[in-house]
Amino acid sequence: MNRFTIPRDIYFGENALETLESLEGKKAVLVIGGGSVKENGNLDKIQSHLAKANIETKVIEGITEEPSTQLVQDHLGTLNEYEPDWIIGIGGGSPMDAAKAMWIFYERPNLSFEDAMQPFNLPGLRTKAKFIGIPTTSGTASEISNLSVITDSETGVKHPLADFELTPDLAVIDPVMVESMPQKVIAYSGMDAVTHSIEAYVAKPRTTFTDSLAIEALETLDEHLLSSYKGNQESREKVHYAQAMAGMAFANAVLGNVHSMAHKSGPTFEVPHGCANGIYLPYVIQFNRSVVGDRFAKMAKRLELKGDTEEQLVDSLIEWVRELNREMGVPNTLKEFGVSEDLFKEHVDQMAKNAMDDPCTGTNPRETSEEEMKKLFEAAYYGKEVTF
């Protein structure tokens, strides 16, 4: 039996933020990143809409880096003292993931991080508060997904917390929130969305529902991501919706080795998540082509890439990813990103070992050994073709 779960309500389009005026409740904690959402006036808009619903607000700000267990603990006191009945994550993946993790431990104060790490084993939430996601970037789809990615402060290892309980109650996808996105954020979050589309389309738990969303999202990203990067606001709106569609796909089909590798190497090398995905994606496609080459070829055909045979079409898809990276200033190797060879060699064995424990490795379409995972990291560092 399959399951497909997304937020109960998704409001999108111009003035979607106005739906906040219809909420029922008394208090909301708003979790935000840096100052941009304040400077561009969008935080004021959100608070104004909530005020019309007679909801008081308190802001937790400064979530500018990928969240850690220590950061979550540091802010739990605010939630416990304020006692909100809504928790609203506003931002890219970091603020929304942090907000979800805070929500878990606000609801379940006796739960350990180790227990929360167990995939799809969370106890019920929503005894104290419900959750809303409002994205200010176009890639993570945390406003849609059942994931919260948190770094263990003691080990420095990033872990995806995954459970359908973490699916937001409400997603508000308003294009006004991404009008002033910096180019680098457009590029990195965009490659995150591209990776979500491609990995969900070939992941082991894929279904008819997830396939249709993943491939449509990929086609929209092909048509509009580069245009959005160059400043076209209509394309930026299209990308904002496409990343949410990709989010619906991967939240239910899960992902693969690209994300396992990004989760375990990003904190070590300080590579932003979307950038890491853009680097690893071509190498993982090469690795997986022996098992799901037909599906990669189908995506290439949908994008009208060149090729008469499966091999040619998969090669074209790989080159399409690499060219998209080049066009948006995303490196195609870890070495090009600036990771020193000594640092890479120091950590590659442990990263490969840790990646084997990532839930996304289990849903990668091709079974992967620890030795093969290490070889994938090496290929992505040196820019070698994957032939194993």
Side-chain angles (χ1 to χ4, degrees), residues 16 30 41 54 56 71 82 85 87 122-123 133 137 139 143 146 160 184 191 193 202 215-216 221 243 295 339 347 371:
L30 316 183
N54 296 314
E56 299 175 13
L71 181 144
Y82 194 65
D85 38 29
I87 296 173
L122 280 180
T137 64
E143 78 282 359
N146 50 29
K184 184 171 284 190
M191 291 313 297
V202 299
I215 202 162
E216 182 70 18
L221 291 164
Q243 64 87 29
R295 296 186 69 78
V339 178
H347 291 284
E371 181 183 358

Side-chain angles (χ1 to χ4, degrees), residues 207 304 388:
T207 67
E304 299 182 348
F388 50 88

Side-chain angles (χ1 to χ4, degrees), residues 313-334:
L313 286 164
V314 179
D315 285 344
S316 290
L317 182 66
I318 292 164
E319 181 54 33
W320 175 79
V321 174
R322 287 177 169 158
E323 182 59 27
L324 196 54
N325 280 340
R326 285 190 284 267
E327 290 274 0
M328 298 193 298
V330 178
N332 274 303
T333 67
L334 288 172

Side-chain angles (χ1 to χ4, degrees), residues 220-387:
T220 303
L221 291 164
D222 175 47
E223 293 172 352
H224 293 284
L225 178 54
L226 196 54
S227 177
S228 170
Y229 178 78
K230 294 176 179 178
N232 184 294
Q233 290 294 335
E234 287 185 13
S235 286
R236 192 158 305 169
E237 180 177 355
K238 295 287 188 182
V239 170
H240 205 37
Y241 304 151
Q243 64 87 29
M245 293 166 61
M248 295 178 213
F250 87 76
N252 292 276
V254 202
L255 296 161
N257 283 353
V258 178
H259 273 76
S260 303
M261 296 169 73
H263 290 155
K264 305 314 178 190
S265 63
T268 303
F269 298 145
E270 297 183 345
V271 186
H273 178 69
C275 178
N277 282 342
I279 292 172
Y280 293 134
L281 181 56
Y283 305 98
V284 174
I285 293 174
Q286 288 180 330
F287 178 74
N288 286 333
R289 68 188 301 170
S290 63
V291 176
V292 285
D294 60 327
R295 296 186 69 78
F296 289 137
K298 192 172 182 179
M299 283 186 274
K301 284 183 179 179
R302 181 68 176 261
L303 302 185
E304 299 182 348
L305 303 180
K306 293 181 180 179
D308 296 320
T309 65
E310 179 181 299
E311 183 178 2
Q312 291 171 345
L313 286 164
V314 179
D315 285 344
S316 290
L317 182 66
I318 292 164
E319 181 54 33
W320 175 79
V321 174
R322 287 177 169 158
E323 182 59 27
L324 196 54
N325 280 340
R326 285 190 284 267
E327 290 274 0
M328 298 193 298
V330 178
N332 274 303
T333 67
L334 288 172
K335 190 172 184 178
E336 185 185 342
F337 178 80
V339 178
S340 74
E341 190 169 20
D342 287 344
L343 184 65
F344 175 76
K345 288 182 175 179
E346 179 185 349
H347 291 284
V348 64
D349 288 322
Q350 189 62 47
M351 290 189 311
K353 185 177 186 298
N354 291 340
M356 294 302 297
D357 295 329
D358 193 282
C360 295
T361 302
T363 52
N364 189 72
R366 179 180 168 185
E367 295 298 321
T368 312
S369 69
E370 188 173 324
E371 181 183 358
E372 288 168 332
M373 191 68 78
K374 180 180 177 180
K375 287 182 178 179
L376 280 171
F377 276 118
E378 290 172 339
Y381 182 82
Y382 294 105
K384 296 178 180 177
E385 296 298 296
V386 176
T387 57

Side-chain angles (χ1 to χ4, degrees), residues 19-25 28 50 53-55 86 88 132 170:
T19 192
L20 297 174
E21 297 176 11
S22 63
L23 292 185
E24 294 182 0
L50 291 169
N54 296 314
I55 294 177
W86 287 100
I88 306 178
I132 300 173
L170 178 66

